[in-house]
Amino acid sequence: MVMLKQEQKTKRKVYLLLTKFPDTGTKIINILTGLKYPHASIGLEEDINTFYSFVTKGFIVEDINRYAKPGRKTIPCQLYEMYVTEETYLKIKQASLQKNTACFYRR
């Protein structure tokens, strides 16, 4: 019966964008962690043009074109699509609307 209730919950798409930007901060994180894509952003819109990420200043709206300049190589990235419950989606959405959110995930 519990499985049936979970299956009936509305599912919403969210997108996880992993990137390796050509900036000093990313290079340092890459060296320290060895991660191929040291920056993660989350997208809530179907058009995948708006992403949010957590930086030292808090939760920000990403400008995905900030490194798109003439003559610049492409930015290494991976984009994942996943489904979450309506409740989780709304928590992420609420956090993305708050400026300087320290953390939106709590156990």
Side-chain angles (χ1 to χ4, degrees), residues 64-70 72-73 75:
I64 62 171
N65 295 310
R66 73 177 170 180
Y67 293 108
K69 296 186 169 84
R72 178 163 280 167
K73 295 179 182 179
I75 304 299

Side-chain angles (χ1 to χ4, degrees), residues 28-38:
I28 291 170
I29 293 169
N30 182 250
I31 290 169
L32 294 175
T33 64
L35 295 172
K36 185 174 181 179
Y37 302 103

Side-chain angles (χ1 to χ4, degrees), residues 42-87:
I42 192 162
L44 303 172
E45 310 301 328
E46 290 279 337
D47 67 3
I48 62 172
N49 286 319
T50 304
F51 284 87
Y52 305 91
S53 68
F54 184 78
V55 296
T56 56
K57 297 176 185 175
F59 216 46
I60 63 163
V61 177
E62 285 280 355
D63 176 5
I64 62 171
N65 295 310
R66 73 177 170 180
Y67 293 108
K69 296 186 169 84
R72 178 163 280 167
K73 295 179 182 179
T74 58
I75 304 299
C77 67
Q78 288 190 344
L79 180 64
Y80 296 92
E81 177 183 283
M82 62 187 118
Y83 291 88
V84 297
T85 64
E86 182 72 17
E87 179 184 4

